[in-house]
Structure formats: structure tokens, C-alpha cells
Amino acid sequence: MIRATVLEAAHPQIGAALVENSTFVTHPWRRLRNTFVSVQRMFGPDDDVRQREAARLNRLHARLNGTDARDRPYSGMDADARAWVVATLFESVVTMCRLSGQPLEQRAMEELYAEFRAFHAAMGDATGLLPEEVHDFWPYFDRVVEEELENTEAARVILYKLFDHLPAPPVLDGIPTLWAAGRAVAGPVIGAITVASLPETFRRRAGLPEVPGAQTLMQSAYLAAGLARFLPEGWLPTENLADLLDPSPDSDSPAVRTVAALRSRMTRAGALLRLMTPVDLEPAEQPHTDPYTSRPRPQADPHTGPRRDAEEFFRQVLDQTGDGHLDWPDLAAMARELSTRLDLDEPEETRLYNAFADWWRELQSALDTDGDGRVSAEEYAAAVPSLAGPALIRTAEVLFDATDKDGNQRIDAAEYRALFRTAFHRETTAGHTTYSRSAFIKDFLSFMSGRARTTPYDQVLVDP
């Protein structure tokens, strides 16, 4: 998937959309899990599920449009770009099988290609954009690589920045020091392997450096990955891989249970190591001061618990795309993630996007002091605003209505479980029976205005 994503990002249309709108740098594991789930739905046996997912993806892509750094327009509905996404997935699967010592026979390759063409057709795109036969696919693929792909900013970020700053996946977030040490070694290796696996024509045109020994390393890595076929049968389904990225509290996967137990032990070991490590207590007042405003940091609230300071809230919650500024793509990413997790259909999805768009207009009007069309961390921290305006209240109301399936203006235990355990993968509060509209809105506003440090919404908008 990493290799296919690089080839996708090298397409000018896709690369521009990724740079402007995607959260793959700040929330890569979340993005990967969503991709896993979407692919599973699109290639599953249930035609109704496939059509519903195709409609959801089309709504998502229709909202992605703008211009790139060279003033070239891009659109998430560009037919050639969408065909190229399918092409990269198919070609990367074939390449993976070949490099891992399991090359596909011609008949299997033809069947696989037919399935990818069916996936493309299910999205509603013109079927003629992808060649009908697999033997005609390879000239098409080579032509796009040679004539259309570019060394885009998105491709460079994936190859040379993403792995350097890759956050720990949720199952390993309790051992950040160990993860950082491993990432420092593994990051450059993964980047070199990915570059070596790309088509030679693209590597040459993009000016990607040749690392000595990278080809041998790449072959060894793929052969090692091929050994996955010897793992126990229950470890291989896609849903289990998705669970490893975002574990469900009640998962029955043996792999998830094993990793969860290992994570618990490693977290305890990490906590013990931190206790044994000397801590520099000087200067005493520094932890209580906001670096932007020099004002005291917010302290714990007796009702909502520890509070995030302005810088932390801006970085973890508001700046979803990780570019250091708050603008519409950040809030659109929030709406996209919430609607994906809650599996919203129309018109609830559009109501949610409209509510976030209204909230963005409120924030822009109140905080964009230099008129550049976006809000910087300094502008946000200097104002220290109360973000619970009318538009944000409407956003909470949309979420409440989407959860209140029976329309009785209260979220009962089953609906609460569906929201926080199924959608957000968080355990519910013990003994919970009902959740009123006002209580739901109060909790959501408490999170989105930065008052509470830890809430069920962290799993959706904060975790990577």
C-alpha cells in the first residue's frame, strides 16, 4: 500500500489533493485503517455494501477540489486520476507477489485484473479508461509513468518525511521512546525499499537517488514479507489488520489479543523506565507557561479533568493536516472522519459538513487577524477564544441526531455503545443508561473548545 500510495501521489491531480486535504502525515494510521476498511467493503461479496461504500467515496471525492502550487486545477472526481488509483493498486499487488517469490500465474492475474476493473466500474467511472485485457494494461501503465507522473510534493513527503516523523500506532502508543528509536532506524530503510521497488523510468525522471544495496535490501524485504503466508490462518484477514491499527475493546482476533497483552507489558516497562530516569526540574515555572502568550497554562478543571493548553489543542485537534495552520481542509478532515466512523448517509453527512463549514467561517472571522485566509497557531493562541459558538453547537446536534436512531431525544445504552465503542472504539461508562441532548452537546463542546484533555473524541480526532 505504501508503494501504491507513492505512485498515486506522483500523479499531479492526486498529489495536489493529498497535499491540500489529506491527513496522511499527521494521522497515517487512521488513514491506513480507513483504507483497509474501504477496500474490504468494495471487494466484499455484499453488493449493497459495495454500492453504499462507492457512493460514500464519491461524495468524499466530490468535495476535494482546488488548484495546486502551479495554479493547475485538481478534482477528486478527475476520471483519469481515479483510474490511475485502481491501476496502481493492481500493479502493486502483482509486483508484491512477484518480488515475494509468489508470482501470479496468467489466469490468476487475469481474474485479479477483472476484479479491479469491476471495482472501478462500481465507482461509476467510464470503463474505457482502463484497458479491457490485462495484456493491454502494461502499455497503459508504462505510458502514464513515462508521460504523466511527476516528482510531486506529496510523493516526496511520503518517501522522505512521513517515516521520519511517523507517530506510534495506537497499539504501541504507550512506549514512545522505544518507538522513536526503532523509527530512526526503520524509517530510512523503508524509504529506500520503497524507492527501489518503484518503476525504473519513474525513479530516473523524478531524480530519486540510488542507495547502494537498496535493490538487494528490497528483494530481501519482499521475500521476508512473503513468509506471511505461513502465519496462522486467523492472522491474515484484512479486518484483523485494521483491528491492529485501531483495536476494538471487544475484538475476538487472536492477533489483537496477543498484541494488546504485549502492549500492556511494554507500557508498564516503559513507565518503570521513566520512573528510574532522572528528571530536570529547572526552570520550575516553565511547564506552567504557554510559549505563545507567556500566560499561565490552563490547569485541571475539577469537572472536566486536565485541560489542554492552546498550543497542544491547536496541534493535536485543530491542525488536522499538519501544515501549521488552521483552514477549511482541517475542519473538512474532521467532518470526513466523523462521518466515516459513524457511517453517515445523506443527508446527515451533508448536514455535518455544512455545520463544520459554518464553524470555519466563525473561526476565520474571529481569529484571522492578518487576512491571509487561514489561522496560525499564534493567532489562535493570542486570542484564546471560546470556540463554542452557534455553528459548533449545530455540529454537536448533527452528531446527536445521527446517534439517536429512534428519535426520542435521548441516547440509550445501545446507541451510546454504538457511538463510543463501535464507532470510536472506546469503552462506555460503567452503569450508563441514557444521555440527554444537552449532556451530549456539553461534552462535545468541552472537547472541541479545548477544555478537556481526555475524552472519547480523542480516538477520532487526536490519535494518529
Side-chain angles (χ1 to χ4, degrees):
M1 293 189 70
I2 296 171
R3 181 183 183 278
T5 302
V6 172
L7 290 173
E8 293 170 16
H11 191 288
Q13 287 272 333
I14 302 171
L18 286 174
V19 166
E20 293 291 327
N21 301 277
S22 181
T23 62
F24 74 96
V25 173
T26 49
H27 301 281
W29 302 111
R30 191 174 78 187
R31 167 70 187 273
L32 185 58
R33 182 195 180 279
N34 290 345
T35 301
F36 266 137
V37 173
S38 180
V39 169
Q40 183 186 27
R41 291 172 177 173
M42 290 300 296
F43 283 88
D46 193 322
D47 188 59
D48 290 338
V49 171
R50 183 163 48 252
Q51 291 181 11
R52 191 167 182 266
E53 179 64 11
R56 186 189 71 83
L57 291 174
N58 283 333
R59 293 196 303 269
L60 183 154
H61 292 156
R63 293 185 172 99
L64 303 178
N65 53 77
T67 56
D68 65 12
R70 295 163 58 179
D71 289 329
R72 296 178 298 184
Y74 69 83
S75 169
M77 296 300 290
D78 181 83
D80 290 331
R82 284 156 65 92
W84 178 244
V85 170
V86 179
T88 61
L89 291 171
F90 168 73
E91 189 272 344
S92 289
V93 171
V94 173
T95 298
M96 177 189 68
C97 292
R98 174 173 54 82
L99 293 176
S100 63
Q102 306 171 78
L104 294 177
E105 297 180 354
Q106 184 64 27
R107 181 179 179 83
M109 190 183 302
E110 291 172 353
E111 292 176 352
L112 181 66
Y113 184 63
E115 290 183 0
F116 273 98
R117 290 192 77 244
F119 164 56
H120 185 236
M123 295 293 293
D125 293 322
T127 56
L129 294 173
L130 285 175
E132 292 188 10
E133 304 295 336
V134 70
H135 60 78
D136 294 323
F137 170 82
W138 303 110
Y140 155 78
F141 182 85
D142 292 340
R143 179 188 62 78
V144 175
V145 169
E146 293 174 3
E147 299 177 6
E148 298 186 29
L149 299 193
E150 300 175 0
N151 187 7
T152 63
E153 179 184 353
R156 294 193 299 272
V157 166
I158 296 171
L159 289 173
Y160 301 117
K161 179 181 177 182
L162 178 60
F163 298 117
D164 290 342
H165 305 279
L166 189 68
V171 295
L172 298 176
D173 60 7
I175 47 174
T177 303
L178 181 61
W179 172 262
R183 180 184 60 195
V185 175
V189 173
I190 296 174
I193 291 172
T194 305
V195 170
S197 71
L198 297 173
E200 182 180 359
T201 303
F202 175 68
R203 297 202 311 268
R204 186 171 58 252
R205 289 184 62 244
L208 299 178
E210 287 281 352
V211 178
Q215 287 290 332
T216 302
L217 180 64
M218 180 265 294
Q219 291 279 356
S220 301
Y222 270 92
L223 287 172
L227 298 177
R229 64 186 182 274
F230 298 114
L231 289 173
E233 183 178 351
W235 285 62
L236 292 178
T238 302
E239 60 268 22
N240 289 350
L241 296 175
D243 277 345
L244 288 175
L245 297 176
D246 191 9
S248 174
D250 55 355
S251 174
D252 293 326
S253 166
V256 173
R257 291 199 301 268
T258 300
V259 171
L262 178 62
R263 175 195 181 191
S264 177
R265 292 176 180 272
M266 296 180 73
T267 300
R268 289 198 296 269
L272 178 62
L273 181 62
R274 288 192 295 273
L275 287 174
M276 297 170 60
T277 303
V279 178
D280 184 6
L281 298 178
E282 299 293 339
E285 297 303 318
Q286 181 63 26
H288 304 290
T289 303
D290 189 293
Y292 289 118
T293 65
S294 298
R295 298 169 180 162
R297 290 180 185 270
Q299 302 302 304
D301 184 286
H303 302 291
T304 62
R307 294 185 60 181
R308 288 183 171 93
D309 59 39
E311 178 192 14
E312 181 186 16
F313 181 72
F314 187 93
R315 175 176 53 83
Q316 291 188 343
V317 180
L318 297 180
D319 185 15
Q320 288 283 304
T321 59
D323 62 358
H325 293 85
L326 170 65
D327 53 12
W328 167 240
D330 294 301
L331 270 65
M334 294 185 196
R336 186 164 62 244
E337 187 62 26
L338 286 169
S339 62
T340 297
R341 288 295 185 104
L342 295 174
D343 204 18
L344 298 184
D345 280 327
E346 292 287 20
E348 288 83 1
E349 183 182 285
T350 296
R351 285 185 63 205
L352 184 64
Y353 271 89
N354 289 342
F356 270 101
D358 290 341
W359 187 39
W360 163 239
R361 284 187 284 270
E362 286 185 358
L363 292 175
Q364 187 179 29
S365 175
L367 305 182
D368 181 20
T369 57
D370 60 8
D372 65 352
R374 56 186 186 176
V375 176
S376 68
E378 291 82 359
E379 287 174 325
Y380 169 75
V384 192
S386 174
L387 300 179
L392 188 58
I393 294 175
R394 286 196 294 273
T395 302
E397 290 176 339
V398 172
L399 292 176
F400 181 89
D401 292 340
T403 307
D404 180 23
K405 298 298 184 182
D406 56 13
N408 67 350
Q409 298 302 305
R410 302 189 73 82
I411 296 177
D412 60 27
E415 292 168 335
Y416 186 86
R417 176 187 174 91
L419 175 66
F420 286 114
R421 193 170 189 181
T422 303
F424 291 179
H425 284 192
R426 281 292 174 93
E427 288 285 6
T428 57
T429 303
H432 174 79
T433 55
T434 60
Y435 207 7
S436 69
R437 177 180 288 269
S438 60
F440 180 92
I441 293 175
K442 178 182 177 181
D443 281 358
F444 184 76
L445 297 184
S446 178
F447 171 76
M448 292 304 299
S449 60
R451 300 189 198 122
R453 178 177 292 274
T454 302
T455 76
Y457 303 101
D458 283 39
Q459 186 76 3
V460 176
L461 298 176
V462 178
D463 286 357

